[in-house]
Amino acid sequence: MDLNKISSPSFLKELNTKQLQDLSEDVRKFLIQKLSVTGGHIGPNLGVVELTIALHRAFNSPKDKFIWDVGHQAYVHKILTGRADQFDTLRQFKGLCGFPKRIESEHDVWETGHSSTSLSAAMGMAAARDIKGEKNYVVPIIGDGALTGGMALEALNHIGHEKTNMTVILNDNEMSIAPNVGALHNVLGRLRTANNYNKAKDELEQLLKKIPAVGGKLASTAERVKDSLKYLLVSGVFFEELGFTYLGPIDGHNFETLEETLQHAKRMKGPVLIHVITKKGKGYLPAENDTVGTWHGTGPYKMETGDLVKPKTTAPGWSSLIAETVRKLARLDDRIVAITPAMPVGSKLEGFASEFPDRMFDVGIAEQHAATMAAGMAADGTKPFLAIYSTFLQRAYDQVLHDICRQNLNVFIGIDRAGLVGADGETHQGVFDIAFLRHMPNIVIMMPKDENEGQHMVKTAIEYNDGPITLRYPRGNGLGVPMDAELKVLPIGSWEVLREGADATIVTFGTTIPMAQEAADTLAEHGIQVEIVNARFIKPMDEEMLHRLMQSKKPILTIEEGILQGGFGSAVLEFANDHHYSTTQIDRIGIPDMFIEHGNVDLLLEEIHITTEETVSRIQKLVIKDIKDQAGIKA
């Protein structure tokens, strides 16, 4: 079938089983070919081909609402709703988003890039439906990994209590980004092996009905026997106890079974949970055989072999550098433990886990728990390294504030993927952490100019015992600078001058330092000498140096790959105001008050004017204005 000609999923209702199977193969071939060029979430989408087709066949989108948890498994949904012809632009600048996007299609009714939100959103949509007296179906699709998130469990509890009409699809592929952990995962494991549970339960019920009930006594005894069998076959039938009708587990790649179960669920009142077993990466051997999460989401790859197309660089990856430095120090300090919320692969902690299995804790998709657990461990004398993406740290805001900072506990937070991350887009851009951390008392925030300074910051964080300390580091690779053999501790709050200059000062840190240096070279050609300061400690700032800069009355330009409101530049402005430096010109470059969509990072930076050219222009304007001010000329 030519998938580019699909405009709506309504055609699925006319297909027979053989045609549905052929369509599934066409979709898989399409995804394997397209994603080999663009990269993307190949494993999750190959696993839900039949399930997505069956859902669109059984329900009527967009009247019926499909809510995809996380959303990275919605590529098949996009194909069936008329977007196949845009897949060459998937996750590219101004192209098709890798997650559901409301402005893309009426069939995308909920946007998400974070886990465990679908059930709460579904409860909201179902409640709104019932208030309006409408009759549509609400169908959240949630993975077994996402089900470990606290928000998902809160929603399950509420939905079951209210007996809300809803069909929940539990897509159980036994693995999310990394192998799942936790007691709930073990419950699902037992359910997967209980294939005959529903059959046995039904047969027992029929048998009991044939036994004459004498005075009701036998009936009550029989009910207890039936209930006991339930617990015998499936230890702790979790979903039924929460108020759901549980159907499954069923084969998520079998159209007849899927259709029969979905139609049965549609006829039932109250919340129904269909437990669907799928194979992540199905149809592409490299993805099928993946046991560590490599094929959850990839860059481009060679379709024939499955070999990943890696960037040509000898510089270390930031996540590896930080994790391996922590590992090196852990050999000398048995206080050090590592904690991650389901990201041991992304944060490159496999080596730490292998060497120190008793000191490594993957808590699953539970960012709030991870942060407070780290606080608890710190309170009892260990040195926790909490490795967490900037975008996921947002979810633990209260725990960082209330449990870590308020108690001034020695937790080391590694903020991975800080700054723009590119293809994953607005749900994953790590640009808010400075603004939401900077106002928290007791916290230290650092970001290195290169990987050598990065390893020294790890050492600094481990040795720091005066409260919480954070280290921001970007996605991707370092600069390839020489690495010191011996690690050293940096003075907390210390900045460094990278370049002298008499006419203006650029104060920046991290990934924008090379841009500042390039701009300074260009400005020197025009006779403007610019000082560059590496503001490696975002909090506390180097107040001694700030006083010197302000007193020199040179114009100051701050640059940050973070949100301007409440960010680093705001801190510099606050310092100037608090110390009455009213004559010092201060300008700021950073991310404006908007969400940044997906695309190549360089193109995104150009779009929001965080560029060498913009830096040169801003400095020139500042210097010209400064000259006029000194001469008493009105601008």
Side-chain angles (χ1 to χ4, degrees):
M1 174 181 285
D2 185 351
L3 302 183
N4 291 322
K5 293 182 177 179
I6 296 174
S7 59
S8 131
S10 58
F11 76 99
L12 294 171
K13 300 181 189 301
E14 307 301 322
L15 302 184
N16 58 37
T17 300
K18 176 63 168 58
Q19 290 170 320
L20 293 172
Q21 291 169 343
D22 291 343
L23 174 62
S24 298
E25 291 305 307
D26 290 340
V27 169
R28 282 197 169 87
K29 290 175 184 176
F30 177 89
L31 287 173
I32 293 166
Q33 191 274 318
K34 293 295 184 181
L35 270 60
S36 71
V37 178
T38 64
H41 292 96
I42 181 73
N45 285 284
L46 291 178
V48 298
V49 174
E50 289 86 0
L51 174 59
T52 308
I53 292 171
L55 286 170
H56 272 289
R57 181 175 162 86
F59 295 96
N60 296 302
S61 176
K63 179 183 178 182
D64 297 328
K65 312 297 184 186
F66 292 139
I67 304 161
W68 301 92
D69 205 285
V70 184
H72 57 225
Q73 78 280 45
Y75 294 3
V76 185
H77 164 78
K78 293 195 178 209
I79 291 169
L80 297 177
T81 52
R83 286 170 274 177
D85 60 348
Q86 300 176 53
F87 263 73
D88 288 335
T89 71
L90 180 71
R91 292 159 47 92
Q92 309 299 305
F93 186 59
K94 303 295 185 182
L96 193 67
C97 183
F99 297 92
K101 192 76 173 168
R102 285 158 57 91
I103 62 171
E104 272 187 14
S105 171
E106 63 179 350
H107 297 276
D108 291 4
V109 300
W110 181 251
E111 295 182 11
T112 180
H114 287 180
S115 172
S116 312
T117 67
S118 63
L119 298 177
S120 296
M123 181 61 189
M125 291 184 189
R129 171 201 63 196
D130 294 344
I131 289 170
K132 294 185 293 182
E134 296 175 349
K135 300 298 182 183
N136 60 286
Y137 294 96
V138 176
V139 187
I141 303 100
I142 184 167
D144 50 322
L147 203 61
T148 64
M151 188 174 173
L153 300 179
E154 292 172 13
L156 279 176
N157 182 57
H158 187 208
I159 294 164
H161 174 75
E162 296 289 343
K163 303 296 182 187
T164 305
N165 289 334
M166 184 186 302
T167 301
V168 177
I169 307 297
L170 172 56
N171 174 32
D172 181 359
N173 58 31
E174 306 183 50
M175 185 175 174
S176 47
I177 297 175
N180 290 322
V181 297
L184 185 55
H185 173 61
N186 295 333
V187 168
L188 295 177
R190 288 194 294 273
L191 285 171
R192 290 182 206 111
T193 63
N195 293 319
N196 294 321
Y197 165 58
N198 283 309
K199 180 181 178 183
K201 185 173 70 171
D202 292 340
E203 288 178 353
L204 177 63
E205 194 167 351
Q206 293 301 319
L207 178 63
L208 293 174
K209 286 179 180 178
K210 295 177 181 178
I211 301 174
V214 181
K217 185 176 181 180
L218 186 57
S220 62
T221 301
E223 190 60 37
R224 288 198 301 272
V225 170
K226 175 185 169 185
D227 196 52
S228 298
L229 181 65
K230 177 175 73 173
Y231 284 96
L232 175 66
L233 287 172
V234 184
S235 177
V237 184
F238 181 78
F239 302 107
E240 291 193 354
E241 294 300 324
L242 283 173
F244 284 75
T245 297
Y246 172 83
L247 301 177
I250 66 170
D251 182 354
H253 303 294
N254 185 299
F255 280 113
E256 288 90 346
T257 303
L258 283 166
E259 180 156 4
E260 179 184 345
T261 308
L262 289 169
Q263 293 302 330
H264 180 48
K266 287 170 68 176
R267 294 190 291 269
M268 303 185 78
K269 298 293 185 184
V272 179
L273 185 139
I274 304 176
H275 185 180
V276 182
I277 309 297
T278 60
K279 176 68 175 176
K280 196 169 186 178
K282 183 175 174 61
Y284 189 52
L285 283 178
E288 276 194 31
N289 296 332
D290 178 26
T291 59
V292 296
T294 301
W295 285 88
H296 170 80
T298 73
Y301 54 89
K302 295 180 181 178
M303 188 170 60
E304 297 77 14
T305 63
D307 294 333
L308 300 180
V309 179
K310 297 182 178 180
K312 296 178 181 179
T313 178
T314 57
W318 274 106
S319 299
S320 294
L321 171 80
I322 302 303
E324 286 303 301
T325 307
V326 171
R327 181 184 180 186
K328 181 193 301 184
L329 293 171
R331 295 178 186 132
L332 307 173
D333 187 346
D334 59 11
R335 297 177 308 145
I336 298 173
V337 299
I339 302 171
T340 181
M343 299 305 294
V345 178
S347 290
K348 304 301 180 185
L349 285 166
E350 306 102 314
F352 188 101
S354 175
E355 187 169 350
F356 305 108
D358 295 336
R359 291 155 64 183
M360 169 72 192
F361 300 89
D362 178 2
V363 302
I365 301 174
E367 295 88 357
Q368 295 171 307
H369 168 58
T372 299
M373 178 182 173
M377 296 191 81
D380 208 29
T382 64
K383 185 71 178 188
F385 169 58
L386 173 58
I388 186 167
Y389 289 11
S390 172
T391 184
F392 300 141
L393 184 60
Q394 297 163 189
R395 314 191 86 187
Y397 173 90
D398 179 62
Q399 288 66 34
V400 175
L401 175 67
H402 182 274
D403 299 334
I404 296 176
C405 290
R406 188 180 57 81
Q407 299 185 87
N408 202 33
L409 294 169
N410 296 324
V411 176
F412 170 23
I413 304 176
I415 306 178
D416 201 344
R417 271 60 165 184
L420 295 173
V421 299
D424 281 337
E426 58 189 335
T427 58
H428 283 62
Q429 310 287 17
V431 299
F432 300 102
D433 58 90
I434 293 174
F436 72 71
L437 290 175
R438 189 173 66 80
H439 61 258
M440 295 186 184
N442 299 327
I443 201 164
V444 173
I445 307 172
M446 309 179 285
M447 189 169 192
K449 67 178 183 292
D450 56 38
E451 58 268 39
N452 187 46
E453 190 168 67
Q455 67 170 348
H456 295 315
M457 285 187 171
V458 174
K459 173 71 171 177
T460 302
I462 294 297
E463 296 298 323
Y464 184 71
N465 291 308
D466 292 325
I469 187 165
T470 66
L471 171 56
R472 308 178 77 243
Y473 45 101
R475 186 176 189 173
N477 296 82
L479 302 177
V481 301
M483 302 291 283
D484 296 335
E486 185 175 346
L487 300 181
K488 63 183 179 183
V489 173
L490 304 177
I492 299 296
S494 65
W495 293 357
E496 63 173 351
V497 176
L498 300 177
R499 178 182 182 134
E500 300 287 350
D503 299 317
T505 302
I506 295 175
V507 184
T508 188
F509 53 88
T511 53
T512 49
I513 284 178
M515 184 185 76
Q517 291 171 324
E518 186 177 337
D521 289 339
T522 301
L523 287 161
E525 294 173 2
H526 293 82
I528 299 174
Q529 302 303 318
V530 177
E531 179 183 24
I532 297 177
V533 173
N534 172 22
R536 56 193 180 185
F537 284 90
I538 299 161
K539 183 181 180 182
M541 300 190 298
D542 190 332
E543 295 198 357
E544 182 179 343
M545 187 176 292
L546 273 171
H547 278 298
R548 177 185 69 77
L549 295 174
M550 301 285 180
Q551 289 165 3
S552 75
K553 297 187 178 181
K554 289 186 297 185
I556 295 172
L557 176 66
T558 67
I559 307 175
E560 58 196 301
E561 197 176 303
I563 201 80
L564 280 171
Q565 292 182 318
F568 171 74
S570 292
V572 173
L573 287 172
E574 290 162 13
F575 179 89
N577 179 74
D578 293 345
H579 294 88
H580 310 292
Y581 289 116
S582 57
T583 59
T584 303
Q585 289 190 80
I586 301 172
D587 195 7
R588 300 177 300 151
I589 291 177
I591 294 175
D593 185 21
M594 60 186 293
F595 290 103
I596 307 301
E597 296 196 2
H598 57 279
N600 174 275
V601 171
D602 290 338
L603 293 175
L604 294 174
L605 290 170
E606 186 176 340
E607 177 90 349
I608 55 179
H609 306 295
I610 302 181
T611 62
T612 300
E613 293 74 20
E614 181 71 13
T615 303
V616 169
S617 175
R618 295 283 192 98
I619 290 289
Q620 287 174 329
K621 289 177 182 177
L622 285 169
V623 169
I624 291 170
K625 185 176 186 303
D626 188 53
I627 292 171
K628 288 183 177 180
D629 287 346
Q630 291 182 35
I633 302 171
K634 290 184 179 181

